[in-house]
C-alpha cells in the first residue's frame, strides 16, 4: 500500500504569476492566481497541477554545474516534427537555450525558463 499519493509539483521563483504565465503559454494550461499573492497554480488536464511559490532570494540553478545544481527538471514532450517550432515559441516566451540536440544526435534540448529552472523539450 502506498504511503501517499502525488500532489502538486511546486517551483520556487521570484515572480509566481510571471512564471505561471510562461508555463501556461507553453502547455496551454489555465493560470489560477487564487487568493494567495505568493502562490499561483497552473491547472491542466486530468487534474494535473503545477504551482509556483514566491521565494525571496531565489537563486536559480546553473546548468550544467554543481555549485547551484538543478535538483529536478521538467521534460515536456513535443512531436519530433514540431521540435524546431516549439523551440522558437519557448524562446519567444522568454526561455533561453542551454544545450541543443547535438545537431539532431539527441531527442531533447535543454532550456532555462525565465526564472532559471532547466526544462527539456523532448521529441516523442
Amino acid at each position: 500500500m502506498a504511503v501517499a499519493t502525488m500532489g502538486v509539483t511546486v517551483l520556487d521563483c521570484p515572480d509566481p504569476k510571471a512564471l505561471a504565465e510562461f508555463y501556461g503559454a507553453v502547455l496551454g494550461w489555465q493560470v489560477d492566481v487564487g487568493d494567495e499573492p505568493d502562490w499561483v497554480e497552473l491547472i491542466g488536464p486530468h487534474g494535473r497541477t503545477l504551482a509556483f511559490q514566491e521565494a525571496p532570494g531565489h537563486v536559480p540553478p546553473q546548468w550544467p554545474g554543481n555549485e547551484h545544481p538543478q535538483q529536478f527538471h521538467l521534460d515536456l514532450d513535443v512531436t519530433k516534427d514540431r521540435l524546431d517550432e516549439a523551440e522558437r515559441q519557448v524562446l519567444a516566451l522568454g526561455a533561453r537555450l542551454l544545450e541543443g540536440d547535438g545537431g539532431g544526435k539527441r531527442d531533447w534540448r535543454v532550456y532555462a525558463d525565465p526564472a532559471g529552472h532547466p526544462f527539456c523539450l523532448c521529441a516523442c
Side-chain angles (χ1 to χ4, degrees):
M1 174 180 221
V3 173
T5 59
M6 181 70 172
V8 63
T9 299
V10 183
L11 290 150
D12 287 350
C13 59
D15 186 343
K17 186 173 184 291
L19 197 56
E21 289 172 348
F22 169 80
Y23 280 107
V26 170
L27 297 169
W29 293 10
Q30 181 181 345
V31 175
D32 181 5
V33 176
D35 298 329
E36 300 292 326
D38 61 347
W39 181 276
V40 178
E41 292 184 348
L42 200 56
I43 309 302
H46 311 293
R48 294 180 184 152
T49 304
L50 185 59
F52 306 89
Q53 177 175 283
E54 183 176 2
H58 170 72
V59 177
Q62 294 178 2
W63 189 94
N66 291 319
E67 187 173 329
H68 300 285
Q70 68 176 335
Q71 299 178 9
F72 83 99
H73 69 274
L74 299 172
D75 282 347
L76 306 177
D77 292 339
V78 177
T79 58
K80 191 171 189 87
D81 64 322
R82 287 205 60 249
L83 192 56
D84 290 335
E85 175 60 25
E87 176 172 280
R88 285 190 288 277
Q89 290 175 314
V90 298
L91 294 175
L93 290 167
R96 62 186 164 87
L97 180 66
L98 297 178
E99 183 178 324
D101 60 8
K105 294 178 184 170
R106 291 187 305 277
D107 288 337
W108 73 90
R109 299 173 187 171
V110 184
Y111 305 85
D113 68 24
H117 303 103
F119 71 94
C120 297
L121 290 179
C122 302
C124 61

